[in-house]
Amino acid sequence: MKLTVVGGGSTYTPELVDGFARLRDTLPIEELVLMDPAQDRLDLVGGLARRILTRQDHAGRITTTTDLDEAVDGADAVLLQLRVGGQAARQQDETWPLECGCVGQETTGAGGLAKALRTVPVVLDIADRVRRTSPRAWIIDFTNPVGIVTRALLQAGHKAVGLCNVAIGLQRRFAALLAVEASAIHLDHVGLNHLTWETAVRLGGPEGEDVLPKLLGEHGDTIAADLRLPRPLLDTLGVIPSYYLRYYYAHDEVVRELGTKPSRAAEVAEMERRLLAMYADPALNEKPELLAKRGGAFYSEAAVDLAAALLGGGGSPYQVVNTYNRGTLPFLPDDAVIEVQAAMGAKGASPLPVPPVDPLYAGLMAGVTAYEDLALQAALHGGRDRVFRALLSHPLVGQYAYAETLTDRLIAHNREHLAWA
């Protein structure tokens, strides 16, 4: 089995390789190809990746290349984890929206739109080349904004599934609080990528006992602290929102907070500098502890589980993924991309039925879905008017004066990545 990672020079990659090594029985990889245009990063990351496999007695081989066509030729699955523009672009995404009084964040709001505009054309080009060389290969998208990127891939007819680590992170957190095995926890997880709620926490599977009331009753303070939301809000909602909902539920508070400290992009850039220095040490043969602070917790386990299911080698029968709605949430278009529990197999994802969704959440999902549709049109076809319409529609922007200013700043900061600009 050959699996290719596009963006293989990412500092995330040792986490992924460690998961492939530990979970070899679930996903027996013979060749793991790390592709990245940055040869210097590939050399460092690839060297550590090989040492990790050797340390864990894994028989697979690591190949590194800057040639995309060579990387994807003959691949069974291609995992996308790229960042167009690097951390410098992320720094901009988190800065200029804040200057306008809006949340600066790389996956939602104006910054998220900028990332989508840079990313979608690049991802579609990669996917077209995968289809030419390896038409049976699955594309697993971990590249943000996952919902918009996955929708672009599916609408272009690619075999694609989107993946996010929010659900698996919550699963592991809840399991620890309840003192049970993570595999015993099944989440009724509903929403869009980075806009999700846990409406039930079940023991043993989709039909298991819902212990969400117990979880909130006994551990509500801890969960609220993790989410940085007030406990009374969780009690009122009766569900557990993802931490990304804080950008919506406490927007002005977050804007004030972000204005008082260095950006997350600056923190990550410094962390990456330190990680790459560690990776250069020939004695290092395991992922360093610092990597856990980089983000992407449990990413490798989610990726292995998904790839195994798609390639017919096993994996969990139910997984939280990003895929077409197709009537699962009747208040959204069929071609919207939603993030829910799905039955997984070699034919892809089949979303499980979802109970009626409270209008409090359905309304926000519908609004953000409309934004994602407009954002995708802007990414595919360009034009200032399309960018403005997408920003005006976003719940975190919404006012025409903000949308006008943000549109001009987005284009100015991303001109080199926007062919139409």
Side-chain angles (χ1 to χ4, degrees):
M1 181 183 298
K2 175 180 177 179
L3 193 142
T4 297
V5 180
V6 178
S10 168
T11 52
Y12 274 134
T13 299
E15 160 72 25
L16 190 63
V17 174
D18 178 74
F20 288 149
R22 288 185 293 103
L23 302 172
R24 69 194 75 181
D25 292 338
T26 303
L27 188 67
I29 294 174
E30 297 168 305
E31 182 180 10
L32 179 63
V33 182
L34 307 181
M35 182 274 156
D36 200 287
Q39 184 67 59
D40 55 341
R41 293 176 68 107
L42 268 183
D43 291 342
L44 296 175
V45 174
L48 176 56
R50 293 185 182 96
R51 295 192 297 273
I52 289 173
L53 291 193
T54 298
R55 181 176 185 270
Q56 299 196 34
D57 295 321
H58 193 291
R61 69 182 183 275
I62 301 284
T63 303
T64 61
T65 181
T66 59
D67 186 317
L68 177 63
D69 292 324
E70 174 188 327
V72 301
D73 187 21
D76 296 287
V78 177
L79 197 153
L80 306 180
Q81 59 171 32
L82 57 149
R83 181 183 295 281
V84 180
Q87 293 298 332
R90 178 179 180 171
Q91 170 71 17
Q92 293 179 352
D93 294 344
E94 295 180 356
T95 303
W96 53 265
L98 201 59
E99 294 168 354
C100 300
C102 296
V103 161
Q105 212 278 331
E106 66 158 343
T107 65
T108 191
L113 176 60
K115 193 169 195 298
L117 297 184
R118 294 192 304 268
T119 304
V120 166
V122 174
V123 165
L124 289 178
D125 177 66
I126 293 169
D128 284 343
R129 292 160 76 172
V130 172
R131 182 156 52 192
R132 285 198 298 269
T133 61
S134 305
R136 298 175 62 184
W138 278 100
I139 296 175
I140 299 172
D141 179 59
F142 195 70
T143 296
N144 282 318
V146 167
I148 296 172
V149 173
T150 302
R151 189 171 182 179
L153 288 165
L154 291 174
Q155 287 188 355
H158 296 291
K159 292 177 59 179
V161 179
L163 178 65
C164 179
N165 69 318
V166 167
I168 192 172
L170 289 173
Q171 179 202 42
R172 301 309 167 87
R173 181 60 167 150
F174 298 161
L177 291 173
L178 295 169
V180 299
E181 293 293 325
S183 59
I185 297 292
H186 178 95
L187 301 177
D188 281 13
H189 178 102
V190 61
L192 315 178
N193 180 241
H194 290 183
L195 193 86
T196 53
W197 296 262
E198 311 310 320
T199 59
V201 177
R202 302 185 184 278
L203 290 181
E207 305 301 324
E209 175 192 3
D210 180 13
V211 295
L212 177 57
K214 169 185 170 71
L215 190 64
L216 284 173
E218 297 180 1
H219 304 285
D221 289 342
T222 298
I223 294 168
D226 288 346
L227 299 174
R228 304 184 65 200
L229 290 170
R231 167 70 185 272
L233 175 62
L234 298 190
D235 292 336
T236 298
L237 297 177
V239 302
I240 299 177
S242 84
Y243 52 85
Y244 283 95
L245 265 298
R246 186 168 182 258
Y247 295 117
Y248 296 82
Y249 292 160
H251 176 274
D252 292 353
E253 177 184 332
V254 172
V255 168
R256 288 192 296 271
E257 176 187 295
L258 292 175
T260 64
K261 63 180 184 179
S263 68
R264 175 62 177 165
E267 294 176 358
V268 170
E270 172 59 20
M271 206 176 299
E272 286 201 331
R273 185 192 66 78
R274 294 170 59 194
L275 284 168
L276 290 171
M278 292 178 181
Y279 297 173
D281 181 358
L284 183 68
N285 60 4
E286 59 185 343
K287 62 179 183 179
E289 291 184 10
L290 179 61
L291 187 53
K293 298 180 181 180
R294 170 68 179 82
F298 309 113
Y299 159 44
S300 63
E301 294 176 37
V304 168
D305 211 17
L306 178 54
L310 294 173
L311 298 176
S316 302
Y318 306 112
Q319 299 179 34
V320 173
V321 296
N322 285 259
T323 190
Y324 267 152
N325 178 38
R326 291 200 177 102
T328 306
L329 301 178
F331 53 89
L332 297 181
D334 283 350
D335 66 349
V337 165
I338 60 174
E339 185 172 292
V340 293
Q341 287 278 4
M344 299 303 305
K347 294 184 178 180
S350 298
L352 299 184
V354 174
V357 177
D358 189 308
L360 180 61
Y361 318 125
L364 186 52
M365 283 186 229
V368 175
T369 295
Y371 151 75
E372 290 191 347
D373 181 62
L374 293 169
L376 182 54
Q377 295 309 308
L380 293 174
H381 305 296
R384 186 188 186 281
D385 286 350
R386 291 189 179 93
V387 174
F388 172 79
R389 285 166 56 81
L391 286 168
L392 186 62
S393 73
H394 200 295
L396 296 181
V397 180
Q399 298 182 55
Y400 78 88
Y402 284 167
E404 287 280 5
T405 302
L406 290 167
T407 297
D408 289 337
R409 294 197 181 190
L410 184 156
I411 294 171
H413 283 287
N414 291 276
R415 197 174 299 277
E416 66 180 295
H417 300 291
L418 306 177
W420 52 268

